Amino acid sequence: MTVKFEADSKGWLTKGYRPLELEQKVREFWERTNILEKLERLRLKTNSGVLGYVEGPPTLNGYPHVGHVRGRVMKDLRYRWKSMQGFYVPFWTGWDCQGLPVELEVERQLNVKNKKDLLERVGEERFVAECKEVIMKYYAAWHGVDVKAGVFINDTKAYWTYLDEYIEREWKYLKRAWDQELLGEGYYVVAYCPHCQTSLSNAEVGMGYEEVEDPSLYFKFQVSNTKNEYFLVWTTMPFTLVTDLMLAVHPDAKYAKVQVEDEIWIMAMQRVEPTMQELEVQDYTVLDIVLGEELEGSEYNYPFFDIIPRQRELDKQPSVHKVICEDFVDVTAATGVVHLAPGNGEEDFIAAQKHKVPIYAPFDDEVNFTRDAGKFAGLFARDADDMVVEELRKRELLVSVKRIQHEYPTCWRSHHKLVWFARREYYLWTSKINDRIVKAAERVKYYYDPPKNRFLAFLREGKPWCLSRERVWGTPLPVWKCTSCEYKELVSSKKELFEKAVTPQKGHFELHKPWIDRIVFKCGRCGGKMQREPFVLDTWHNSGAAPYARFTDEEFERYVPVDFLVEAIDQTRGWANTLLLEHVMLTGKAESPYKAYLFYGHVLDEKGRKMSKSLGNVIDADELLDKYSADLFRFYVLWKCSPIDSMNFDVKELKKRPYQVLSTLYHLYRFFMQNAVYDRFTPQKHTLEWAKANETLKPPDCWILSKLQRTVDSVTEKLENCEFNFALSDLEEFVVNFLSRQYVPMVRRELWSDDQETRDRRLTVYATLWQTLRTLNLLFNPITPFLCEAMYQQVHKALNKTLLESVNLEEWPVPNEKLEDPKLEHDFDTFLKYVSLTYSARQTAKLKRRWPLRKAVLAGPKDAQNAVKNLEDLFLELANIKTVEYVDTLAEIKSEIGKVGSLASEDDMHVWLDTRRDKALLGEGLMRDLARRVQALRKELGFTPTEVLKTVYLSELDAESAKLLKPHLKTMAELVRTRKVHLCKAKSELEAEWHDYKLDNRRICIAIP
Ligand SMILES: [Zn+2]
Ligand SMILES: [Zn+2]
């Protein structure tokens, strides 16, 4: 007969699901056999199509945390799935290597205080070398996590944004923009971080808002040529009064002239009451109401002429220190009168250009006021706040000052408060082609509306892209400018650069500062000296250039627009944006470089808080994957919520349901394997076709196979719609409910038999399970590739050596119409509902499912009755009842209820159970209880389920119970797989290891020698 531990000794399947061990073996297997490369080669050679892909490159300035890996799992899911569908996808890595984030990391390491310190103490050459070391350190971590998480991305074809060949191709974008006059120098108000000493792009500004404290200041400007009329204004940035040049009101709003003591204040009508309340002014009278447009052109007395002489000069220009009308003025907040400082605000700047008001921005690179700011010269802009307040107070123009907490944009890297001011920078004037950009974006598929709307709204703003950065570690802006005539030239290749260089290059050279700055051209116009404009590019331009820069020309044609991208939700302002802008500039077409873009939500901690270093709740991906399984992690992040939702990540939760689902699948495999090997099942021979021809397929088999086809269909559709969580719950339901809780109990009993006559029937069940598990293996593979590979090798390939080398080389299943049977599925639904009603009725009567009962009466519609009639034997077995009767209505059952019984109902379906038990039923129930005890003991003692025991001994049973049990000993022997069950009078009868139990207050001892 069979040998103990046979299954385990062959190294098939360990007793419990132990994912960490299993995954390590699979990792080694993939490594040893090069499956990743083989898959790519296979699909390159024969495919059903090519789907372009370009990797959203992680910035190499930190270690990957669970939030990052959530996205990588989604990418990998898509890749594995599409590859299984036969597509070739260039799923290759990319690494974002340059920019402020990396520089700040190095600055921290080297203790750099500011840019001056950086340039003088460290020097650009060493700084660049340090930057490269930092990225390599983080690269190793990212690559390691990809391998651990089972992300099947090809890292041998990586792109690195800092390499010369990438930079040269990135420059091609600039060349195209330059030729179309979309790239140029100009003044514009930019957000500027005083710490990082560089401007930020519009996209970056939205990335960091923080609660900060600022002054809340009400002040007044006197209307010129009046004795006592004032505009009442509010601001949180007093320093901008230094650069104040205009006031703005809304043309269509009503403005009130309000008497307060002996003064008249002008403010928006609807703001009078709340403002007076805020200022604690009780006595006031509205004297007059005018429309905003009537105020247009009014002059006001700028108060600081004495301390800012430049302001007195500016005052001579028309429109300066006058009221203008602007639609952007918000009359639902503050006083509805806004002061404009075109040197410090974007809307102010645009308004100034409209009214031909000069830009006054007296700031140096550190955002300190220059000599042009008079008394304020030398002060850091934000430090001037107090002085402005003081000066207003002296002039009796201060109405009130407090401190407030409010949300204010901060630097997304250094967290300093941003300052807006007008600077000479290089811009991509994307606003000129904004209609094309928006049109291109509208054609993209986004799967979910909220991120789509957010993205399109952001794009419609169409602000110019400030491209230049006053930093070191970045792609150099390839523009040279003549020091005498200011003529400019843009180069777009190393070759061109060397041809134009006045002196040939010696020694090390790369396309970075400081080397590139040493190259000087001769001016083509005046013969003067041309030097490079000292800027590097916004790092977002680097990754945005990936579609062209990472490929060859030929590959670019083949793969772009790419098929599908998935990145975090904040990339609406980041990569999704820059990819689009650059592509439209490059091609000149209203075409997006991606056809579909899924934005996924952030990962929060288990309490729903943002993960941050300060809270100490960031979960490092590497540590997590060392401790918990990659499959569990993958399943969890895909299953827990919709991809666009923020996800509360809870390790405790990961260990519960996800583990249960995967463990159930694993144990189904084990159950299958133990039985199928015992009966020498051969998948090539015992196919479903064979079973059909043999007429051994039964309704439960057909039912589960039909359910399986439906699952294949729905999972595929949900993956296509990026409803990963719904796809996973379909799989969860199939494995846990349909297969494990419903199908297996329907056939388990048949598998107990060892008879030759019924072997074909058992082989049919195995054929059904084989087909089902094979399909599940494929469906689960993009989600839990480790478990699937392990089962593929240890079960499917172990039984069928002709299968492919790895599950990853297999094809995605399609529903088999021949196996679909909607009518049968419907009948089974009804049937299972009746079975579950019998369970409820038992529960009410406190009768265990193991105890057989004499009779059930079913009521319900005719077709529902028929569903049970057609499967009556199965019903009797699952419900554990001897006979069943059918009636049409509950009323007919009620006539029976007079006797002892228990009723359960749902809608118009009812089950009544006869709960009376005679000696035979009691005896059988007792036998079942004991059998279960013996089964558990068998398992504890390490016998495999298929192993046949010699004798099972029972003793210490009271006389009455022993009498009840006796007629059922033979059945019991079959149930527990032993040749004989022997009932001893006392333990002393047998010298053996006895196990003592209590069973419903009966004592029972069992021995399996
Ligand atoms: Zn900063
Ligand atoms: Zn020149």
Side-chain angles (χ1 to χ4, degrees):
M1 266 283 151
T2 43
V3 185
K4 257 190 195 180
F5 303 119
E6 186 186 30
D8 291 343
S9 69
K10 284 197 179 165
W12 292 333
L13 304 173
T14 53
K15 229 162 144 194
Y17 170 46
R18 297 208 289 268
L20 279 180
E21 249 167 66
L22 174 154
E23 287 166 16
Q24 189 47 38
K25 277 188 196 142
V26 170
R27 244 173 247 125
E28 285 160 17
F29 168 76
W30 285 339
E31 173 108 26
R32 193 170 64 239
T33 50
N34 268 327
I35 293 302
L36 191 151
E37 287 79 7
K38 276 181 191 156
L39 171 62
E40 196 180 326
R41 250 179 287 140
L42 173 73
R43 293 290 179 251
L44 187 61
K45 214 168 79 192
T46 46
N47 59 58
S48 49
V50 170
L51 301 177
Y53 177 79
V54 65
E55 165 74 343
T59 306
L60 296 175
N61 77 316
Y63 294 108
H65 59 70
V66 288
H68 295 122
V69 189
R70 184 185 185 197
R72 296 191 86 67
V73 166
M74 290 180 196
K75 290 178 184 181
D76 185 60
L77 165 85
R78 177 89 182 185
Y79 171 68
R80 287 183 191 255
W81 167 52
K82 284 293 165 190
S83 300
M84 289 176 82
Q85 283 189 332
F87 292 100
Y88 172 71
V89 186
F91 192 47
W92 306 338
T93 49
W95 307 107
D96 204 3
C97 309
Q98 303 177 136
L100 204 50
V102 181
E103 291 196 31
L104 290 182
E105 166 88 15
V106 174
E107 283 191 0
R108 264 194 300 275
Q109 281 181 14
L110 301 178
N111 244 323
V112 170
K113 281 191 264 323
N114 52 37
K115 217 151 92 186
K116 196 162 158 256
D117 187 33
L118 189 165
L119 298 177
E120 288 173 5
R121 183 167 61 86
V122 181
E124 287 179 336
E125 278 190 42
R126 179 170 168 223
F127 189 69
V128 164
E130 298 279 352
C131 285
K132 287 180 188 166
E133 276 196 18
V134 160
I135 60 172
M136 289 320 287
K137 176 179 85 181
Y138 291 119
Y139 160 70
W142 279 84
H143 176 70
V145 163
D146 273 349
V147 172
K148 260 181 211 168
V151 179
F152 246 31
I153 194 162
N154 187 345
D155 197 34
T156 65
K157 296 224 177 187
Y159 72 89
W160 301 78
T161 57
Y162 79 99
L163 294 178
D164 283 2
E165 53 264 36
Y166 187 92
I167 288 174
E168 282 188 282
R169 289 185 74 84
E170 183 181 354
W171 279 354
K172 295 287 188 281
Y173 282 88
L174 299 179
K175 171 91 172 116
R176 286 286 298 138
W178 187 258
D179 292 345
Q180 296 171 80
E181 294 182 352
L182 295 173
L183 168 62
E185 198 187 353
Y187 266 94
Y188 198 74
V189 172
V190 291
Y192 192 89
C193 173
H195 174 85
C196 305
Q197 284 183 30
T198 187
S199 38
L200 275 77
S201 71
N202 197 30
E204 286 169 309
V205 172
M207 291 178 178
Y209 274 82
E210 278 171 43
E211 182 90 351
V212 300
E213 201 187 72
D214 268 320
S216 163
L217 175 75
Y218 283 91
F219 64 94
K220 52 199 184 190
F221 279 167
Q222 189 171 14
V223 184
S224 302
N225 309 315
T226 64
K227 226 168 63 203
N228 61 348
E229 282 190 29
Y230 297 86
F231 288 104
L232 186 67
V233 189
W234 177 78
T235 183
T236 54
M237 292 186 284
F239 78 91
T240 60
L241 262 68
V242 175
T243 54
D244 170 85
L245 291 180
M246 289 178 285
L247 288 178
V249 294
H250 196 286
D252 307 329
K254 287 179 186 156
Y255 283 82
K257 295 191 173 180
V258 188
Q259 172 99 43
V260 180
E261 292 176 11
D262 55 357
E263 290 179 357
I264 294 164
W265 295 354
I266 302 170
M267 70 184 87
M269 181 64 204
Q270 66 187 99
R271 297 301 304 163
V272 172
E273 213 185 293
T275 306
M276 292 304 163
Q277 226 162 46
E278 158 118 41
L279 295 174
E280 292 171 18
V281 175
Q282 263 109 35
D283 295 331
Y284 63 89
T285 326
V286 175
L287 298 178
D288 195 10
I289 293 169
V290 294
L291 272 181
E293 59 183 20
E294 295 174 55
L295 296 168
E296 190 171 17
S298 312
E299 282 185 54
Y300 62 93
N301 298 339
Y302 180 77
F304 297 154
F305 288 148
D306 53 337
I307 50 174
I308 312 174
R310 178 90 181 106
Q311 275 281 16
R312 195 189 294 280
E313 281 168 44
L314 288 163
D315 190 59
K316 291 175 192 143
Q317 309 236 17
S319 290
V320 169
H321 302 137
K322 290 203 175 114
V323 176
I324 60 164
C325 286
E326 283 293 340
D327 285 334
F328 66 73
V329 173
D330 180 6
V331 288
T332 64
T335 68
V337 181
V338 183
H339 102 91
L340 301 181
N344 290 105
E346 194 181 5
E347 280 171 330
D348 317 36
F349 179 87
I350 294 166
Q353 298 216 307
K354 217 160 82 184
H355 293 271
K356 303 208 163 42
V357 163
I359 305 303
Y360 171 50
F363 301 101
D364 67 10
D365 278 355
E366 289 168 13
V367 205
N368 296 327
F369 282 111
T370 60
R371 286 224 308 262
D372 240 9
K375 191 178 174 184
F376 295 93
L379 268 182
F380 171 56
R382 298 259 22 185
D383 290 344
D385 283 350
D386 289 345
M387 199 162 131
V388 167
V389 171
E390 215 28 65
E391 292 294 336
L392 285 170
R393 197 192 306 275
K394 272 194 226 161
R395 289 164 175 76
E396 295 184 341
L397 296 171
L398 178 69
V399 177
S400 132
V401 64
K402 283 191 224 159
R403 309 287 299 172
I404 53 155
Q405 299 277 338
H406 66 155
E407 292 264 299
Y408 186 84
T410 53
C411 174
W412 63 292
R413 283 295 156 189
S414 70
H415 302 284
H416 287 76
K417 282 193 231 174
L418 300 180
V419 179
W420 271 257
F421 74 110
R423 281 179 68 83
R424 184 187 77 95
E425 301 273 1
Y426 274 80
Y427 291 91
L428 282 170
W429 305 111
T430 49
S431 35
K432 290 191 193 169
I433 52 164
N434 205 44
D435 50 342
R436 258 180 281 165
I437 290 167
V438 172
K439 200 182 277 172
E442 279 167 345
R443 291 177 182 155
V444 174
K445 183 176 167 74
Y446 300 96
Y447 303 96
Y448 295 90
D449 278 342
K452 172 190 175 175
N453 297 337
R454 204 166 131 177
F455 185 42
L456 289 175
F458 170 71
L459 288 172
R460 287 196 184 104
E461 289 177 22
K463 291 184 183 168
W465 179 358
C466 174
L467 192 64
S468 44
R469 295 289 181 274
E470 295 88 301
R471 300 293 312 186
V472 178
W473 177 235
T475 298
L477 178 76
V479 173
W480 270 254
K481 187 167 159 185
C482 176
T483 49
S484 353
C485 77
E486 301 209 331
Y487 175 67
K488 286 180 205 143
E489 256 188 277
L490 179 139
V491 299
S492 62
S493 73
K494 226 188 211 174
K495 193 168 160 269
E496 207 185 334
L497 197 66
F498 291 154
E499 280 166 8
K500 287 190 191 290
V502 174
T503 47
Q505 276 314 298
K506 271 182 254 151
H508 175 79
F509 180 81
E510 63 180 77
L511 295 180
H512 280 115
K513 280 159 90 67
W515 301 278
I516 193 163
D517 287 339
R518 294 173 191 153
I519 294 195
V520 175
F521 299 169
K522 188 174 150 192
C523 176
R525 189 180 282 172
C526 77
K529 185 173 144 195
M530 294 185 92
Q531 270 180 336
R532 196 181 74 83
E533 290 281 63
F535 303 107
V536 297
L537 303 184
D538 174 4
T539 182
W540 288 100
H541 190 275
N542 306 161
S543 52
Y548 183 78
R550 79 99 58 238
F551 291 126
T552 62
D553 285 354
E554 194 189 316
E555 287 168 336
F556 178 74
E557 284 304 315
R558 200 181 320 148
Y559 301 139
V560 182
V562 301
D563 174 60
F564 173 84
L565 297 177
V566 47
E567 298 293 337
I569 183 80
D570 51 8
Q571 298 299 332
T572 45
R573 284 169 168 273
W575 198 48
N577 173 41
T578 60
L579 277 176
L580 183 72
L581 303 186
E582 290 181 51
H583 189 77
V584 173
M585 278 187 274
L586 181 75
T587 62
K589 292 188 271 186
E591 174 193 88
S592 163
Y594 42 81
K595 292 177 191 154
Y597 207 122
L598 172 68
F599 296 105
Y600 70 88
H602 289 298
V603 173
L604 310 172
D605 75 3
E606 75 275 13
K607 291 183 187 122
R609 294 173 306 181
K610 221 172 133 177
M611 289 192 183
S612 72
K613 271 186 195 151
S614 56
L615 282 173
N617 58 355
V618 181
I619 303 179
D620 181 83
D622 191 56
E623 279 172 30
L624 186 96
L625 292 170
D626 272 346
K627 223 155 140 198
Y628 305 98
S629 117
D631 277 341
L632 275 182
F633 175 84
R634 295 173 62 113
F635 188 92
Y636 179 53
V637 294
L638 293 168
W639 163 86
K640 158 113 185 186
C641 57
S642 161
I644 59 156
D645 289 340
S646 297
M647 174 186 180
N648 293 3
F649 192 96
D650 187 351
V651 171
K652 290 190 288 300
E653 192 176 36
L654 171 144
K655 291 187 284 186
K656 283 178 190 159
R657 185 64 175 174
Y659 182 85
Q660 198 190 349
V661 176
L662 299 188
S663 172
T664 302
L665 181 59
Y666 179 88
H667 281 100
L668 282 164
Y669 264 109
R670 226 173 151 247
F671 169 77
F672 163 78
M673 202 59 177
Q674 284 166 337
N675 287 286
V677 169
Y678 181 85
D679 276 319
R680 293 186 308 284
F681 166 71
T682 315
Q684 292 108 305
K685 201 163 118 201
H686 308 122
T687 59
L688 289 176
E689 289 69 32
W690 164 84
K692 233 177 231 171
N694 213 12
E695 293 182 355
T696 40
L697 268 178
K698 283 194 183 172
D701 314 324
C702 299
W703 167 74
I704 196 74
L705 289 168
S706 181
K707 279 272 186 210
L708 182 68
Q709 309 316 309
R710 188 176 300 282
T711 305
V712 169
D713 199 36
S714 72
V715 168
T716 309
E717 190 191 321
K718 284 163 188 171
L719 290 184
E720 200 65 73
N721 295 333
C722 291
E723 295 169 326
F724 306 138
N725 51 326
F726 293 138
L728 265 70
S729 36
D730 283 352
L731 288 169
E732 173 187 5
E733 179 165 39
F734 187 89
V735 169
V736 177
N737 287 341
F738 302 153
L739 191 56
S740 172
R741 291 213 186 116
Q742 294 173 343
Y743 179 71
V744 168
M746 291 183 213
V747 297
R748 183 182 278 141
R749 190 72 191 265
E750 294 182 285
L751 302 185
W752 283 342
S753 160
D754 208 3
D755 297 343
Q756 270 313 303
E757 310 88 81
T758 54
R759 182 168 171 249
D760 277 2
R761 175 57 203 145
R762 295 198 295 279
L763 292 169
T764 302
V765 171
Y766 306 143
T768 305
L769 280 171
W770 169 266
Q771 180 67 29
T772 308
L773 291 172
R774 269 280 277 155
T775 309
L776 286 175
N777 192 250
L778 301 173
L779 292 178
F780 269 86
N781 187 49
I783 300 155
T784 55
F786 293 100
L787 177 59
C788 292
E789 186 73 273
M791 295 305 102
Y792 189 79
Q793 300 299 331
Q794 296 168 15
V795 175
H796 296 302
K797 232 175 120 62
L799 295 184
N800 181 357
K801 302 269 185 291
T802 67
L803 288 182
L804 299 171
E805 189 179 7
S806 159
V807 61
N808 292 289
L809 309 178
E810 290 270 354
E811 275 170 30
W812 187 252
V814 286
N816 179 350
E817 269 175 46
K818 281 190 220 145
L819 296 176
E820 283 170 24
D821 191 342
K823 166 88 174 57
L824 182 70
E825 279 187 54
H826 180 263
D827 284 356
F828 256 88
D829 285 344
T830 311
F831 167 82
L832 288 165
K833 223 178 254 172
Y834 273 117
V835 173
S836 109
L837 282 175
T838 66
Y839 296 156
S840 320
R842 277 174 179 274
Q843 212 165 19
T844 316
K846 296 201 166 64
L847 293 166
K848 291 186 200 168
R849 285 192 205 173
R850 277 193 298 280
W851 295 349
L853 296 176
R854 197 166 57 85
K855 187 169 83 176
V857 180
L858 269 52
K862 271 275 175 303
D863 59 332
Q865 291 182 31
N866 285 336
V868 179
K869 274 182 196 160
N870 293 338
L871 299 161
E872 196 171 286
D873 286 348
L874 192 58
F875 179 82
L876 294 177
E877 190 190 324
L878 292 177
N880 196 14
I881 287 176
K882 300 297 174 193
T883 58
V884 56
E885 285 170 17
Y886 306 88
V887 293
D888 291 339
T889 61
L890 182 62
E892 289 172 67
I893 284 188
K894 288 234 163 107
S895 61
E896 296 255 4
I897 285 187
K899 303 164 194 168
V900 189
S902 175
L903 179 75
S905 304
E906 195 190 320
D907 302 326
D908 54 354
M909 293 161 72
H910 314 273
V911 169
W912 175 83
L913 291 182
D914 184 344
T915 53
R916 293 166 302 175
R917 298 198 292 155
D918 59 16
K919 278 196 175 137
L921 289 174
L922 285 169
E924 198 184 333
L926 174 62
M927 180 273 283
R928 294 282 195 105
D929 278 340
L930 288 172
R932 182 164 175 272
R933 222 24 285 171
V934 172
Q935 291 285 32
L937 181 61
R938 268 185 71 120
K939 219 169 166 184
E940 281 163 37
L941 294 177
F943 294 92
T944 63
T946 47
E947 199 167 339
V948 179
L949 310 173
K950 241 166 149 181
T951 315
V952 169
Y953 295 90
L954 307 175
S955 79
E956 306 294 326
L957 207 58
D958 62 89
E960 198 199 325
S961 299
K963 215 170 132 196
L964 281 175
L965 184 65
K966 249 183 198 147
H968 304 284
L969 286 179
K970 202 161 174 285
T971 321
M972 181 170 171
E974 279 169 24
L975 281 180
V976 302
R977 271 195 123 96
T978 179
R979 298 217 176 112
K980 199 178 150 204
V981 178
H982 183 79
L983 204 52
C984 308
K985 287 212 172 60
K987 282 205 279 190
S988 52
E989 222 176 277
L990 180 77
E991 189 70 31
E993 194 191 338
W994 284 97
H995 303 264
D996 275 35
Y997 299 102
K998 254 212 151 102
L999 191 76
D1000 298 329
N1001 293 322
R1002 282 190 192 95
R1003 181 158 178 233
I1004 177 72
C1005 299
I1006 307 172
I1008 307 179

